[in-house]
Amino acid sequence: MTTVDYVLRLGDDALVTAQRFGAWYAAGPEMEEDVALANIALDQLGAARLLLTYAGELEGAGRDEDALAYQRDAAAFRNCRLVEQPEPDFGVVIAKLLLLSAFQLPLYDALAGAGDERLAAIAGKARKESAYHLDHSTLWTLRLGDGTGESHQRMQAAIDGLWPYTGGLFVGEGGPVAFADLRTHWSSTVEEVLTRATLTVPETVAEPTGERKHLVELLAEMQELHRAHPGARW
């Protein structure tokens, strides 16, 4: 049986990613990329809405997608730490999208054929979007990694900075597909792209622990309007 925490994990990953990528609208290196990042953020937001709605129904406490998005504090969020990391550089945006989409695509593929009909329907839509996200991030990783000396250095720095958080992708249980079972597929995909991009695959290290100040800051911004005006509608 699918648990609330399992679906919240998926929904929170998508919601936090949408918030991070949405902040890059009109800040990309070219106009076409602004549109692409906005569309990717909307894809993640769409998946988040469906998943949080389902999580609320599983929970049975009367909380809908808005309540779960806007009325929980950081301690109640179940997303992996990778998605909440700040993105001070375009290379970090691309690196995060590569690392995340290489996980989400096989996950949604597997969920689309798993026993939970509701998750299967959500995954059936999301996997098409994840395939595009992986293609898009792969093209940019190759372009930056095998580009100029500066673009190579910044892309490598982005991968190195996010790598310690990739282990968190495979933590969690309670659903029809075990996150840990996706690691081999993920590693093969990511390492193949990094090698083609002339980038170095970092050594595996333990994920940092401690206060999640970046998530606290992100939620403070995302939830500000809703908390200031509870129940407000456009």
Side-chain angles (χ1 to χ4, degrees):
M1 180 177 178
T2 304
T3 65
V4 176
D5 273 357
Y6 186 90
V7 183
L8 278 177
R9 155 69 197 280
L10 301 181
D12 290 346
D13 276 355
L15 179 64
V16 172
T17 300
Q19 183 71 9
R20 282 288 188 222
F21 285 5
W24 269 84
Y25 179 66
E30 54 193 34
M31 188 180 298
E32 186 176 1
E33 187 58 19
D34 286 342
V35 176
L37 288 176
N39 284 332
I40 291 169
L42 288 173
D43 289 342
Q44 294 284 347
L45 182 61
R49 293 188 62 187
L50 295 172
L51 289 162
L52 293 182
T53 296
Y54 184 34
E57 293 173 10
L58 286 173
E59 182 185 54
R63 295 198 292 182
D64 60 10
E65 59 182 271
D66 287 334
L68 289 170
Y70 295 128
Q71 296 176 5
R72 288 181 295 155
D73 58 23
F77 269 68
R78 296 291 177 263
N79 60 279
C80 63
R81 291 188 177 222
L82 172 69
V83 298
E84 69 195 44
Q85 297 309 304
E87 297 161 353
D89 187 273
F90 180 68
V92 179
V93 177
I94 294 303
K96 185 186 291 183
L97 184 60
L98 174 68
L99 299 172
L100 179 64
S101 59
F103 168 77
Q104 287 184 327
L105 179 54
L107 171 64
Y108 287 139
D109 270 340
L111 287 175
D116 187 312
E117 292 184 0
R118 187 69 170 276
L119 271 183
I122 297 171
K125 177 178 182 298
R127 67 178 177 177
K128 298 175 185 175
E129 298 163 348
S130 294
Y132 164 69
H133 301 169
L134 182 57
D135 285 344
H136 188 78
S137 58
T138 295
L139 290 173
W140 268 107
T141 300
L142 296 174
R143 184 176 173 183
L144 296 174
D146 199 19
T148 67
E150 180 178 353
S151 72
H152 177 90
Q153 182 275 324
R154 290 167 67 173
M155 196 65 212
Q156 184 67 61
I159 291 291
D160 291 345
L162 292 175
W163 198 261
Y165 298 95
T166 56
L169 288 167
F170 310 101
V171 175
E173 55 186 18
V177 175
F179 300 139
D181 291 345
L182 303 171
R183 186 155 201 156
T184 299
H185 188 289
W186 176 88
S187 294
S188 175
T189 300
V190 170
E191 290 176 10
E192 190 269 340
V193 173
L194 295 184
T195 300
R196 286 173 58 201
T198 71
L199 296 165
T200 301
V201 179
E203 297 291 331
T204 299
V205 297
E207 183 176 86
T209 58
E211 184 184 4
R212 303 178 75 168
K213 64 177 184 179
H214 299 310
L215 180 61
V216 171
E217 293 170 355
L218 181 147
L219 294 181
E221 179 178 356
M222 187 182 80
Q223 297 175 339
E224 180 181 7
L225 182 62
H226 188 92
R227 289 183 180 275
H229 305 281
R233 298 286 179 182
W234 290 102

